[in-house]
Amino acid sequence: MKFVKLSVIFIFLANIFSCQQKEKSKEKNQKPNIVFIMSDDHAYQAISAYNDQLIQTPNIDRIAKEGMLFSNASVTNSICAPSRAVILTGKHSHINGKIDNLSKFDTTNVTFPQLLQKAGYQTAMFGKLHFGNNPKGFDEFKILPGQGNYYNPKFITQKGDTIIEGYVTDITTDLTLDWMKNRRDKKKPFLLMYLHKAPHRAWLPSEKYYKEYTQKTFPLPATLFDNFKTRETTAQSAEMGIFKHISLTNDNKLTPKTVKELGIKEWSRLGESLWSLNKEQRAKWDAVYKPINEDFKKRYPTMNDSTFTVWKYQRYLQDYLATIASVDDNVGRVLDYLEDEKMTENTIVVYTSDQGFYLGEHGWFDKRFMYNESFKTPLLIKWPNKITAGITEDEMVQNLDFAQTFLEIAGVKATKEMQGESLVPLLTGQKNKWNRQAVYYHYYEYPAEHAVKRHYGIATKDYKLIHFYHDVNTWELYDSKNDPNEINNVYNNPDYANIVIEMTKKLKEIRIKYKDSEILDKKFIEQYQKN
């Protein structure tokens, strides 16, 4: 009798083990999972795998150590919503129609998540999309409305809106892990879009990092006091200077009362995101930020323009980088989960930003320009057994390429309208199949906030040619090898006359390749003026 009971138990346990092994085998042999991690306005200079002078990001760096770091990744249009539209559609802004933050997204566009979903992928999105309340192609989503709040944010879901108490970076990760743990179908491959609000303006850190980062001092960028000598009509007119345009209240976190007491003339409002803090959260905030106000009151009377700029720069970076510290912590949580669940072997993990960002270079914050800090974006990808760990790749890639890359990885055919190139050859050591010599850029949102003029351009590894148009007709050429800080516009330098001819020809050709034209330029200007 005992033998029979033991036999039954053994058979029962063997069946369970067999089912588990089949489940694991099935999951291992299915198409690769895709975890797409994107932050908002995360400068490549603020990732220690690129530059360890400002912050340590050990968890994001893990992706580079276990995979590939792209040193020459860029965007097609350096502004939030258009960049996201390019990523989803695999089409330039003038083709997908989302040229700026103001225009509506044309929902007849076919996106890569729709194609993956149709091909059997389970799809989910958590965090900041920035446009549209009902993203197509997702089995589940919880997204912030517009920019969303850093504290106690509202989320839009298929079942209605909900406010969740806490810090947005932690919450976005909680939602992501909850889905992976509790609602992921292990029989299907999945696409997970894990999208952070941070480090978008107005840079509200988690309480965990208030004290640490407000005590830090950061090195000054070489071009903090750039005088724009060869770029007077373009760069000099932009309204994104740390000295003139960063707000003491909304950005540097001084109170309107402090600003008024010092007689500083500035439109004063304490950051909108602070309105969402509850009493307990606000008390913790005030305990750290009120002393900053008192210290500034003592310093301000002796400040000149230079010391005032440096103070604003330090305050800006303290909060900006503190928000990234939380992003890095939470990326670590997701990477740890994938490892703990033995999912890393069949999962491609991507970390990127919707564009670059100025951290004091040229005296600026924000983005928009085709200059490097805005144009280039971080891109780190790991894919075990496909990507050789620890590689740095300097080929020119763009956010335009993500859609076709993910579709090829999943074995799904891209649409004919998609304009990017799959990165799979670069990821899998087949560099001989990659032949891109230049990338194209076009920025449209003018006249508007920050007053960055409309421009388009072409970049190769050696040179960058930019045409500013609409209310100006200005050309700029930069020698990327000899002038990496892009200080000297050499367009009118006789020594570069042949380069101007060559780059102008390439620009015309690439405009034709991507179906952009002066006719479209005029059309979008008229459309913008009507709106």
Side-chain angles (χ1 to χ4, degrees), residues 461-497:
K461 288 184 179 180
D462 295 326
Y463 300 100
K464 185 183 294 180
L465 178 68
I466 310 172
H467 180 215
F468 292 86
Y469 68 99
H470 180 37
D471 62 340
V472 293
N473 182 21
T474 303
W475 290 84
E476 295 179 0
L477 176 71
Y478 295 96
D479 184 332
S480 301
K481 297 291 186 183
N482 296 311
D483 180 24
N485 289 331
E486 297 173 320
I487 294 292
N488 299 307
N489 170 20
V490 294
Y491 185 81
N492 294 313
N493 185 330
D495 294 341
Y496 288 86

Side-chain angles (χ1 to χ4, degrees), residues 491-505:
Y491 185 81
N492 294 313
N493 185 330
D495 294 341
Y496 288 86
N498 289 334
I499 299 298
V500 168
I501 292 170
E502 180 186 337
M503 290 295 288
T504 303
K505 181 175 180 288

Side-chain angles (χ1 to χ4, degrees), residues 373-440:
E373 293 81 11
S374 166
F375 173 59
K376 288 189 174 182
T377 192
L379 178 59
L380 308 89
I381 304 178
K382 79 181 188 82
W383 189 10
N385 303 318
K386 297 288 185 179
I387 297 175
T388 303
I391 289 180
T392 296
E393 178 56 74
D394 72 342
E395 289 298 320
M396 304 187 80
V397 304
Q398 287 194 294
N399 57 352
L400 184 71
D401 302 324
F402 290 146
Q404 280 156 283
T405 301
F406 298 145
L407 291 172
E408 181 173 344
I409 286 169
V412 179
K413 190 175 181 180
T415 66
K416 292 180 180 179
E417 293 79 16
M418 288 182 175
Q419 297 178 301
E421 297 179 34
S422 170
L423 303 180
V424 169
L426 295 177
L427 300 177
T428 57
Q430 302 176 72
K431 198 168 179 174
N432 59 311
K433 294 182 180 181
W434 183 265
N435 192 36
R436 179 181 282 158
Q437 302 300 312
V439 291
Y440 182 62

Side-chain angles (χ1 to χ4, degrees), residues 97-112:
K98 184 67 177 164
I99 61 169
D100 52 41
N101 278 338
L102 307 176
S103 56
K104 289 184 178 180
F105 178 66
D106 181 356
T107 55
T108 63
N109 279 298
V110 176
T111 65
F112 81 83

Side-chain angles (χ1 to χ4, degrees), residues 58-77:
N59 292 300
I60 297 172
D61 291 359
R62 282 164 63 183
I63 302 172
K65 288 175 182 176
E66 297 170 18
M68 183 176 288
L69 180 147
F70 287 83
S71 60
N72 218 349
S74 63
V75 297
T76 63
N77 184 357

Side-chain angles (χ1 to χ4, degrees), residues 440-456:
Y440 182 62
Y441 180 89
H442 200 151
Y443 174 80
Y444 299 86
E445 194 170 299
Y446 178 86
E449 184 180 7
H450 297 302
V452 174
K453 296 181 184 297
R454 293 175 183 239
H455 60 287
Y456 58 84

Side-chain angles (χ1 to χ4, degrees), residues 179-208:
W179 179 81
M180 281 204 287
K181 291 174 182 176
N182 300 314
R183 288 181 304 289
R184 180 175 67 88
D185 185 345
K186 295 182 180 180
K187 296 176 183 177
K188 290 184 176 183
F190 66 83
L191 163 69
L192 172 62
M193 299 194 78
Y194 166 47
L195 312 175
H196 285 292
K197 169 185 171 62
H200 193 278
R201 193 179 186 187
W203 318 302
L204 268 64
S206 164
E207 187 267 333
K208 174 182 178 181

Side-chain angles (χ1 to χ4, degrees), residues 132-264:
N133 292 346
N134 188 21
K136 288 185 176 181
F138 291 94
D139 300 314
E140 181 176 333
F141 62 81
K142 290 184 176 67
I143 58 173
L144 298 165
Q147 297 291 355
N149 289 326
Y150 271 102
Y151 280 89
N152 310 323
K154 179 192 287 186
F155 281 86
I156 299 166
T157 78
Q158 284 110 322
K159 297 179 181 179
D161 297 354
T162 180
I163 293 176
I164 304 177
E165 291 280 311
Y167 186 64
V168 68
T169 306
D170 300 331
I171 295 167
T172 300
T173 308
D174 292 343
L175 296 173
T176 298
L177 291 173
D178 176 61
W179 179 81
M180 281 204 287
K181 291 174 182 176
N182 300 314
R183 288 181 304 289
R184 180 175 67 88
D185 185 345
K186 295 182 180 180
K187 296 176 183 177
K188 290 184 176 183
F190 66 83
L191 163 69
L192 172 62
M193 299 194 78
Y194 166 47
L195 312 175
H196 285 292
K197 169 185 171 62
H200 193 278
R201 193 179 186 187
W203 318 302
L204 268 64
S206 164
E207 187 267 333
K208 174 182 178 181
Y209 287 111
Y210 290 169
K211 292 180 181 178
E212 178 184 349
Y213 275 80
T214 53
Q215 299 300 314
K216 287 180 178 286
T217 301
F218 301 99
L220 304 183
T223 59
L224 180 62
F225 297 102
D226 189 349
N227 62 11
F228 308 114
K229 189 176 179 181
T230 62
R231 294 148 290 147
E232 292 93 344
T233 60
T234 53
Q236 195 171 62
S237 62
E239 296 174 357
M240 45 198 272
I242 288 174
F243 174 66
K244 286 186 178 180
H245 305 112
I246 269 194
S247 163
L248 286 169
T249 51
N250 187 55
D251 301 322
N252 288 152
K253 315 304 188 305
L254 297 182
T255 65
K257 182 181 176 184
T258 295
V259 172
K260 187 177 180 180
E261 285 178 4
L262 293 171
I264 300 172

